[in-house]
Amino acid sequence: MNKEEKEQNPLGYAPVSKLMVKFAVPSIIGMLVSALYNIVDQLFIGQGVGTNGNAATNIAFPFSTACIAAALLLGIGGASCFNLTMGRGDTKRAGYFAGNVFTMLIFSGILISAVTFVFLTPLLKLFGSPDDVLPYAKDYVFVSAFGFPFLILTTGGGHIIRADGSPQMTMACNLAGAVINTILDAIFVLGFDWGMKGAAAATVIGQIVSAVMVLVYIKQFKTVTLKKEHFIPKWSTVSRICSIGMASCFNQLAIAIVQIVLNNSLKHYGSLSEYGESEPLACAGIIMKVNMIIFSVVIGLAQGTQPIESYNYGAKKYDRVKKAYNLALITGGFISVVSFILFQIFPKQILSIFGTGTETYFRFGVRFFRIFLFFTWINCIQPISSTFFTSIGKPIKGVFLSLTRQILFFIPILLILPMFFGIDGIIYTGPVADLLAAVVAIAMTVYEFKLMKNEDNSRTEVRLYK
């Protein structure tokens, strides 16, 4: 592909702001829909089952997080490789990145489902389930596990579809499943009184519909023609996809690990406090999922920049890369500040949406909301920066940055502070980890843009010399 043909790709010349709207808005909607799957279940379970049901969905959360981790490992990795390769003009190789992703998504989904069925009860206990919550969690996860392959295919496949220039299709796949899930949740949980199993069944049916839409799109791929050989896994292709997608994957795995440690800490220190074992788990589950709505918007923004950053970095148009990053950061910052204000002013009202509770339930929930999420207004920096490094083909930096908040800072602080301050130590772990992660992200990104500027200056000097 010559230079003129490259320039026909709008990623290389269209206004960055318009490209951001085109790619980020559908991505945000897609991520919101994924978050709403859990939120909708939580809403109906809170009304139809009660506090133990809410606690059970919190215990089950690491399972869906693990599925998303696998989907992002392959989906983000494959999309970044696809766009970087297209930016360099290598359309022949790009097809293998896309095809291999779809094959590996299906395989990983089946594998995670199988592991879940075999080790269901031990895993739920490992994730911090109290005895009175365990039956609810088993009902929910056993049915949900049938949908894991479809969830992974929809989430990971959506990134490849977006990289192919069809973000609206990604949005449509996610929306279709979410609408079906919401309608069936009302019917199964409130209408038929099927409880946890009904909520899980509604989710699985929605995921199946979304996955079928993704499979249909494969035959209509636009930028390259996908052939049978593209779907046969090749070690060199899969390993490159995984190396690029590791940052996003590890970020999700870190969230799952944090959730597991947090659940066990809440269970232990809650039993030593006035709140008991189950109420802190139920409150924390709701609050973390509400926060995931905001986090999903930020991640959607970051993912929307991925095709723009990848293509233009491959084409050495660093000014466009920086503009896409800055635009995502400004937008994410605004959303985060608004969220911070809502969390500080209306914590009890938000908790009340998910059902009733005791006085101690709401007292703990309000404190957790206000203190644990105090630095919500700067939380956008770390995920946007981590995705930026992945997009420009520097997975090691992306992986490191994705691990800062959750693994390097949060877990050590979570293990130390409660030893001195009890359950209050858990509450104060969040803001300390958030602040440290933001500082590291800023420092790494500023340095990376300096490197780009130096390379730009060097190329300019060479051209002038010639």
Side-chain angles (χ1 to χ4, degrees):
M1 179 178 286
N2 58 38
K3 185 176 180 180
E4 290 182 0
E5 289 172 324
K6 282 186 184 180
E7 288 297 317
Q8 293 177 1
N9 193 320
L11 289 171
Y13 66 84
V16 172
S17 57
K18 290 185 178 179
L19 289 172
M20 284 288 291
V21 172
K22 178 182 178 182
F23 287 96
V25 171
S27 179
I28 290 169
I29 293 174
M31 288 302 300
L32 277 173
V33 168
S34 297
L36 286 173
Y37 266 110
N38 288 311
I39 286 289
V40 168
D41 281 355
Q42 193 97 49
L43 282 168
F44 286 103
I45 287 171
Q47 299 294 335
V49 180
T51 301
N52 282 347
N54 278 330
T57 60
N58 189 25
I59 298 300
F61 194 55
F63 287 99
S64 60
T65 306
C67 290
I68 299 300
L72 295 184
L73 172 70
L74 298 165
I76 290 286
S80 296
C81 289
F82 181 85
N83 287 128
L84 283 165
T85 307
M86 292 292 287
R88 297 184 185 114
D90 189 358
T91 56
K92 183 177 180 181
R93 191 181 180 199
Y96 287 97
F97 285 121
N100 273 217
V101 166
F102 285 112
T103 302
M104 295 307 297
L105 286 170
I106 294 172
F107 172 77
S108 61
I110 294 172
L111 180 62
I112 293 176
S113 287
V115 171
T116 301
F117 287 131
V118 174
F119 301 104
L120 178 59
T121 300
L123 284 172
L124 289 172
K125 290 182 178 180
L126 175 67
F127 294 169
S129 178
D131 291 338
D132 58 341
V133 174
L134 186 60
Y136 298 91
K138 287 177 69 174
D139 284 348
Y140 186 75
V141 177
F142 181 81
V143 178
S144 297
F146 287 100
F148 289 168
F150 305 103
L151 169 62
I152 292 173
L153 178 59
T154 300
T155 305
H159 292 291
I160 301 300
I161 293 173
R162 186 184 305 110
D164 189 46
S166 300
Q168 292 83 1
M169 183 60 188
T170 300
M171 178 179 67
C173 292
N174 289 309
L175 277 176
V179 171
I180 290 171
N181 177 43
T182 303
I183 295 171
L184 293 182
D185 257 328
I187 296 172
F188 292 168
V189 179
L190 300 182
F192 295 166
D193 196 25
W194 287 355
M196 304 299 291
K197 290 182 179 179
T203 300
V204 171
I205 293 171
Q207 290 165 349
I208 291 173
V209 172
S210 296
V212 169
M213 293 175 67
V214 170
L215 290 173
V216 170
Y217 181 87
I218 295 176
K219 297 181 180 180
Q220 307 167 14
F221 221 69
K222 297 192 304 184
T223 51
V224 297
T225 301
L226 295 181
K227 302 176 182 177
K228 289 183 179 180
E229 56 264 30
H230 291 146
F231 295 92
I232 300 174
K234 295 174 61 177
W235 170 249
S236 59
T237 301
V238 174
S239 61
R240 179 58 178 167
I241 289 170
C242 291
S243 69
I244 295 295
M246 276 193 300
S248 299
C249 172
F250 284 177
N251 195 39
Q252 288 295 313
L253 288 178
I255 291 172
I257 293 170
V258 164
Q259 190 70 50
I260 293 168
V261 177
L262 181 61
N263 286 347
N264 281 282
S265 297
L266 288 167
K267 176 185 174 183
H268 174 71
Y269 289 102
S271 67
L272 302 177
S273 72
E274 62 176 314
Y275 306 114
E277 287 184 340
S278 300
E279 285 188 346
L281 279 170
C283 286
I286 292 170
I287 292 165
M288 297 291 276
K289 286 175 183 176
V290 170
N291 186 48
M292 276 303 297
I293 295 179
I294 310 306
F295 210 63
S296 296
V297 176
V298 173
I299 293 174
L301 272 171
Q303 292 175 356
T305 65
Q306 179 269 311
I308 307 167
E309 291 170 344
S310 294
Y311 185 92
N312 286 286
Y313 190 84
K316 299 187 183 298
K317 297 181 178 181
Y318 300 139
D319 58 325
R320 292 175 62 79
V321 175
K322 186 175 182 179
K323 189 170 183 179
Y325 173 86
N326 287 339
L327 193 55
L329 199 60
I330 292 169
T331 308
F334 173 78
I335 293 168
S336 298
V337 169
V338 172
S339 304
F340 167 77
I341 294 170
L342 292 175
F343 293 165
Q344 293 299 310
I345 297 176
F346 304 111
K348 187 172 182 179
Q349 290 84 345
I350 296 172
L351 280 169
S352 299
I353 296 172
F354 298 89
T356 59
T358 64
E359 181 186 348
T360 54
Y361 170 87
F362 282 108
R363 192 186 325 137
F364 177 83
V366 168
R367 292 190 73 238
F368 197 93
F369 240 131
R370 287 178 172 160
I371 299 173
F372 193 85
L373 299 182
F374 183 79
F375 278 117
T376 297
W377 55 278
I378 59 172
N379 274 353
C380 64
I381 300 173
Q382 186 256 357
I384 290 175
S385 299
S386 176
T387 302
F388 159 72
F389 283 109
T390 299
S391 299
I392 65 174
K394 297 191 176 183
I396 294 177
K397 291 183 177 180
V399 168
F400 172 77
L401 198 52
S402 70
L403 296 178
T404 52
R405 194 269 181 186
Q406 312 288 5
I407 302 299
L408 298 182
F409 299 138
F410 190 93
I411 290 181
I413 297 169
L414 180 61
L415 295 175
I416 294 170
L417 286 186
M419 294 172 62
F420 299 96
F421 304 106
I423 200 165
D424 284 347
I426 298 175
I427 297 175
Y428 282 97
T429 296
V432 176
D434 289 340
L435 179 61
L436 292 174
V439 170
V440 173
I442 292 170
M444 288 181 64
T445 308
V446 168
Y447 178 74
E448 190 64 37
F449 280 123
K450 284 184 179 179
L451 294 179
M452 290 186 194
K453 185 176 180 180
N454 291 338
E455 186 176 338
D456 255 344
N457 291 338
S458 297
R459 291 209 316 271
T460 301
E461 290 174 3
V462 169
R463 287 197 298 268
L464 291 174
Y465 179 76
K466 288 181 177 180

